[in-house]
């Protein structure tokens, strides 16, 4: 069965997600703002969930239809062949967002979509009350400009939840964004990679996973694993295929932070990810950073602060860090910051900038090549 599928992503990562999907051999890949659409089969759902580094989740697109009123929303939902997706005992909770001029109430939209789907499933299975005791088929909706799109979520907890970071630092960098930064740095495991503001170690861990070509979702579970359309054999085959593509080599990844507690946390996260041997951890001040190799790539996310005093301290750190790396030769730098005056504080204009978002926080990736 051919499916219309969708991968939501952080703003700015649409192109990277599209590239990943094309490398997986998926068809009709169409990046749009905040999401990437493509065509695939039920068998593609396990391998995309397991292997995708930069996307947030994998959705089955059910349909899009006009929804200028709650009546239209009900009728459009009722018209879908829900029994083709949700079994008799399937649970189908509803969540989503509404930005339409006519439909703004999310709770009302949830209630109407739930009622319409339940009415259609009840008719299909000949019951007045559905048990909803089986697998969860999470329904998602997006209402915008008087049009509604309905999806089924195959992922469950977002793809950025790899499982190796149960506790994040005080300023967590989402795993999918860290993977994107590593991708944009073109790091492939051959040179030295350094993160002198490593925090909980996310960039270093994602760099090690990329160097080993280890699928980020290899050791976690997904909502679709309980669906009859994607039986356990499909997930087992996808995991075996992913493992067969892994590399085995010696990698030099340096992760340092001034806070010993961060280093301890980062080391534990790397251990959970199975890449502790690939990363050298060190308690060190980034303002005294010095190169340990003639060439390499520096990928990092220095603090930028949210309050006035924190911003002032962050500017001083960036200024001192800029002085420390000013004389680096043969190194490329990729620095993520939400600080509007980062280049001025750092003391150098970037060769290129790329707008990215960490959650809803607008940042820039400053590239020094």
């Amino acid at each position: 069965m051919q499916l219309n599928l969708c991968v939501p992503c952080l703003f700015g990562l649409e192109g990277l997600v599209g590239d990943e999907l094309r490398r997986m051999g998926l068809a009709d890949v169409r990046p749009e703002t905040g999401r990437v659409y493509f065509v695939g089969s039920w068998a593609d759902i396990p391998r995309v969930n397991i292997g995708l580094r930069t996307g947030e989740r994998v959705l089955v697109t059910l349909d899009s239809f006009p929804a200028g009123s709650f009546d239209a929303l009900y009728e459009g939902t009722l018209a879908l062949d829900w029994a083709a997706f949700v079994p008799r005992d399937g649970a189908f909770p509803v969540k989503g967002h509404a930005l339409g001029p006519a439909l703004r109430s999310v709770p009302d939209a949830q209630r109407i979509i739930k009622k319409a789907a339940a009415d259609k499933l009840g008719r299909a299975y000949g019951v007045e009350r559905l048990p909803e005791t089986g697998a969860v088929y999470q329904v998602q909706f997006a209402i915008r400009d008087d049009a509604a799109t309905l999806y089924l979520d195959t992922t469950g907890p977002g793809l950025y939840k790899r499982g190796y970071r149960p506790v994040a630092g005080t300023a967590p960098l989402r795993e999918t964004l860290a993977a994107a930064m590593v991708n944009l740095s073109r790091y492939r495991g051959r040179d030295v990679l350094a993160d002198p503001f490593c925090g909980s170690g996310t960039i270093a861990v994602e760099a090690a996973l990329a160097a080993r070509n280890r699928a980020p979702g290899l050791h976690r579970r997904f909502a679709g694993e309980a669906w009859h359309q994607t039986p356990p054999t499909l997930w087992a085959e996808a995991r075996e295929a992913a493992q067969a593509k892994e590399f085995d080599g010696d990698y030099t990844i340096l992760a340092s932070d001034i806070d010993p507690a961060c280093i301890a946390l980062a080391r534990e996260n790397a251990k959970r990810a199975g890449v502790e041997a690939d990363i050298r951890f060190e308690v060190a001040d980034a303002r005294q950073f010095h190169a340990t190799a003639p060439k390499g790539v520096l990928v990092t996310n220095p603090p930028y602060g949210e309050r006035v005093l924190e911003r002032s301290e962050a500017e001083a750190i960036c200024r001192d860090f800029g002085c420390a790396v000013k004389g680096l030769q043969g190194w490329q730098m990729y620095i993520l910051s939400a600080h509007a005056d980062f280049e001025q504080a750092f003391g150098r204009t970037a060769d290129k900038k790329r707008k990215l978002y960490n959650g809803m926080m607008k940042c820039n990736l400053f590239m020094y090549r």
Side-chain angles (χ1 to χ4, degrees):
M1 179 180 180
Q2 190 177 73
L3 301 170
N4 292 314
L5 300 166
C6 174
V7 174
C9 61
L10 295 173
F11 293 123
L13 301 190
E14 299 89 349
L16 297 182
V17 173
D19 289 343
E20 282 197 80
L21 293 172
R22 292 186 190 98
R23 286 195 294 271
M24 291 181 182
L26 279 309
D28 195 18
V29 176
R30 293 165 286 124
E32 295 186 9
T33 303
R35 57 194 57 229
V36 181
Y37 294 97
F38 63 103
V39 173
S41 66
W42 289 111
D44 292 318
I45 287 174
R47 65 191 193 94
V48 175
N49 270 301
I50 290 167
L52 195 64
R53 298 186 188 281
T54 55
E56 297 300 299
R57 60 185 64 251
V58 183
L59 307 175
V60 178
T61 307
L62 298 177
D63 198 12
S64 295
F65 51 86
S69 68
F70 286 120
D71 285 342
L73 179 62
Y74 176 87
E75 293 299 332
T77 304
L78 187 69
L80 297 180
D81 184 8
W82 288 94
F85 298 94
V86 182
R88 186 181 184 278
D89 66 343
F92 52 103
V94 178
K95 66 180 180 180
H97 61 271
L99 298 174
L103 306 184
R104 294 179 177 272
S105 171
V106 170
D108 285 340
Q110 286 176 298
R111 177 177 55 80
I112 289 167
I113 292 169
K114 179 74 174 184
K115 176 173 171 47
D119 287 349
K120 189 63 172 284
L121 285 167
R123 294 175 196 173
Y125 295 121
V127 296
E128 291 185 4
R129 187 175 182 84
L130 295 158
E132 295 198 59
T133 55
V136 176
Y137 290 74
Q138 176 68 60
V139 179
Q140 290 200 10
F141 66 88
I143 300 173
R144 185 169 186 173
D145 298 330
D146 290 341
T149 304
L150 302 187
Y151 308 91
L152 289 179
D153 179 11
T154 75
T155 301
L159 291 177
Y160 66 92
K161 295 185 178 181
R162 318 285 208 217
Y164 65 76
R165 195 176 73 167
V167 179
T170 55
L173 182 71
R174 188 167 286 200
E175 290 89 330
T176 44
L177 180 55
M181 293 169 63
V182 172
N183 183 307
L184 291 168
S185 77
R186 302 172 188 170
Y187 173 72
R188 300 294 183 268
R190 288 184 286 274
D191 297 322
V192 175
L193 182 140
D195 178 5
F197 295 96
C198 77
S200 57
T202 311
I203 292 174
V205 170
E206 292 297 326
L209 292 174
R212 289 192 169 276
N213 199 36
R214 178 170 296 164
L218 195 62
H219 300 298
R220 59 157 286 182
R221 312 303 293 181
F222 301 93
E225 293 193 60
W227 295 10
H228 69 86
Q229 297 96 334
T230 52
T233 52
L234 287 182
W235 295 90
E237 289 167 4
R239 287 189 169 94
E240 289 173 6
Q243 286 181 305
K245 296 176 182 177
E246 283 192 19
F247 304 142
D248 187 16
D250 295 321
Y251 309 106
T252 306
I253 300 171
L254 313 176
S256 57
D257 198 283
I258 198 170
D259 186 350
C262 284
I263 291 299
L265 177 60
R267 183 176 282 111
E268 283 301 311
N269 290 341
K271 185 176 181 180
R272 275 186 286 268
V275 295
E276 184 183 15
D278 301 323
I279 305 170
R280 192 176 81 200
F281 295 98
E282 181 182 10
V283 177
D285 190 339
R287 294 170 293 186
Q288 299 173 10
F289 180 83
H290 61 277
T292 57
K295 65 177 182 176
V297 57
L298 187 150
V299 184
T300 196
N301 177 34
Y304 29 82
E306 295 183 7
R307 291 184 285 271
V308 174
L309 180 60
E310 291 175 344
R311 286 198 297 269
S312 177
E313 293 172 346
E315 285 181 13
I317 291 171
C318 284
R319 190 162 48 247
D320 293 343
F321 178 55
C323 291
V325 300
K326 186 175 182 179
L328 282 185
Q329 299 294 324
W331 279 68
Q332 299 183 45
M333 295 183 290
Y334 297 80
I335 306 172
L336 184 75
S337 179
H339 191 347
D341 299 320
F342 170 80
E343 289 168 299
Q344 182 178 350
F346 189 62
R348 182 174 164 189
T349 301
D351 298 312
K352 188 176 180 180
K353 290 189 292 186
R354 181 163 180 154
K355 187 182 295 184
L356 299 173
Y357 283 78
N358 187 18
M360 296 306 294
M361 182 179 292
K362 184 172 71 173
C363 305
N364 278 298
L365 184 64
F366 296 92
M367 307 180 191
Y368 298 88
R369 292 174 174 169

